[in-house]
């Protein structure tokens, strides 16, 4: 079945530091890949997505590239801000009939001023 | 436009009691999904409604969980009787079409003592 494995947290960084949150997946077919973010007290929001191999999703300074050869979709940001503190979830949606989202366990990021 | 709302935001109950969670999707969204995150682990799919019909309930853990969506508008998720392992955060999401972006609510944090 489908599964998503993401880097365990929590991750604590200083402002302006470089961020990487690793995500690898197992899926049949050609899934779409997503990063969701949950800010304190809010629901999950779609941060970025990629629908095919070598696509790069980007938003708010965050990027992730769909790497089929390594089955990965690592999230990166060159310079984090305090406002980026949140829980980040990697997810996939299979190309099969189910098309339900499969999430990773989430990574708590805290950015200190 | 109002987003997905969930009620209550928090619920603390004793083992054996009944709890009902409510989700109001974005108006006009036929697709409604329930997910839960237990013990800080991955977010797991529970079920998917299309209007008032259960499209996919493969993620429902057992028959103590009952989801309804009468009239195809809001949905309720009842847990009866609640067990300790049911503690977690229950998320609801909605989308206009199953292939389109899903909008998540803030979640209901359920604690079973």
């Amino acid at each position: 079945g489908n599964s998503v494995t993401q880097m365990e947290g929590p991750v604590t960084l200083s402002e302006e530091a470089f961020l990487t949150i690793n995500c690898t997946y197992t899926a049949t077919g050609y899934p779409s890949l997503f990063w969701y973010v949950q800010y304190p007290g809010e629901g999950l929001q779609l941060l970025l997505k990629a629908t095919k191999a070598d696509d790069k999703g980007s938003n708010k300074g965050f990027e992730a590239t769909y790497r089929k050869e390594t089955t990965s979709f690592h999230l990166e940001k060159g310079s984090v801000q305090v406002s980026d503190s949140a829980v980040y979830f990697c997810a996939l949606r299979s190309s099969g009939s189910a098309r339900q989202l499969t999430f990773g366990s989430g990574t708590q990021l805290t950015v200190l001023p | 436009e109002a987003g997905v709302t969930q009620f209550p935001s928090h619920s603390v109950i004793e083992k054996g009691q009944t709890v009902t969670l409510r989700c109001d999707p974005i108006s006009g969204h036929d697709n409604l999904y329930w997910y839960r995150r237990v013990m800080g682990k991955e977010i797991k799919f529970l079920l998917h409604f299309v209007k008032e019909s259960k499209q996919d309930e493969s993620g429902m853990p057992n028959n103590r969980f009952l989801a309804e969506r009468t009239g195809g508008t809001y949905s309720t998720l009842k847990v009866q009787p609640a067990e300790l392992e049911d503690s977690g955060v229950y998320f609801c999401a909605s989308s206009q079409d199953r292939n389109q972006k899903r909008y998540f609510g803030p979640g209901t944090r359920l604690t079973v003592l």
Side-chain angles (χ1 to χ4, degrees), chain A residues 7 13 16-23 34-35 47-48 56-67 72-81 84 88 90 109:
Chain A
M7 171 176 159
L13 297 173
E16 299 183 3
F18 183 84
L19 168 72
T20 299
I21 301 178
N22 289 339
C23 171
F34 306 84
W35 277 99
L47 180 60
L48 54 83
K56 178 185 284 187
S58 61
N59 185 24
K60 300 182 180 180
F62 291 89
E63 293 183 340
T65 301
Y66 189 143
R67 301 283 188 202
S72 66
F73 193 55
H74 305 321
L75 182 68
E76 297 181 335
K77 185 173 185 180
S79 176
V80 292
Q81 305 301 311
D84 294 327
Y88 293 81
C90 186
L109 170 67

Side-chain angles (χ1 to χ4, degrees), chain A residues 3-32:
Chain A
S3 67
V4 175
T5 302
Q6 67 179 100
M7 171 176 159
E8 287 192 20
V11 174
T12 303
L13 297 173
S14 297
E15 205 165 24
E16 299 183 3
F18 183 84
L19 168 72
T20 299
I21 301 178
N22 289 339
C23 171
T24 57
Y25 67 90
T26 302
T28 54
Y30 303 94
S32 295

